[in-house]
Amino acid sequence: QVQLVESGGGLVQPGGSLKLSCAASGSIFSFKAMDWYRQAPGSQREMVAALTSDGSTNYADSVKGRFAISRDNAKNTVYLQMNSLKPEDTAVYSCNGEFYIDQYGSTWNGWGQGTRVTVSS
């Protein structure tokens, strides 16, 4: 019904920036919410940023002031701008989106495939 495709990961030096994208396609009626998660090797998955349809955002303490989540309605895409990256930001980043798929309030929730971010000199 709905597909999420992430892009933008890669290798960056400490202090650098990356912008991740999560593009949604398919039977979308409207956007409800989107979260970005990350999982480092040997660690549990953690939520790093969240965005709701009213524009409310929430960030993990570890990324506040460095990461920003935003949305392009026309493109059905949510972004995660990551600045001042640190080696401890190294992880696989995944988006989790929730969308309304009809006018009756039915929703779809799912995950993208993940994109790897490596912060290293």
Side-chain angles (χ1 to χ4, degrees), residues 69-89:
I69 189 170
S70 62
R71 178 167 65 111
D72 183 328
N73 294 339
K75 296 181 179 180
N76 273 331
T77 298
V78 172
Y79 302 99
L80 183 67
Q81 178 68 48
M82 307 186 295
N83 299 325
S84 302
L85 284 162
K86 305 175 182 179
E88 51 263 43
D89 294 318

Side-chain angles (χ1 to χ4, degrees), residues 38-62:
R38 68 184 180 187
Q39 187 166 21
S43 300
Q44 289 188 328
R45 185 167 58 193
E46 64 170 339
M47 190 278 290
V48 296
L51 175 68
T52 59
S53 58
D54 65 359
S56 298
T57 59
N58 190 33
Y59 297 95
D61 288 342
S62 58

Side-chain angles (χ1 to χ4, degrees), residues 3-20:
Q3 298 80 40
L4 299 177
V5 177
E6 294 136 346
S7 60
L11 173 64
V12 63
Q13 291 187 341
S17 298
L18 280 176
K19 188 174 185 177
L20 306 183

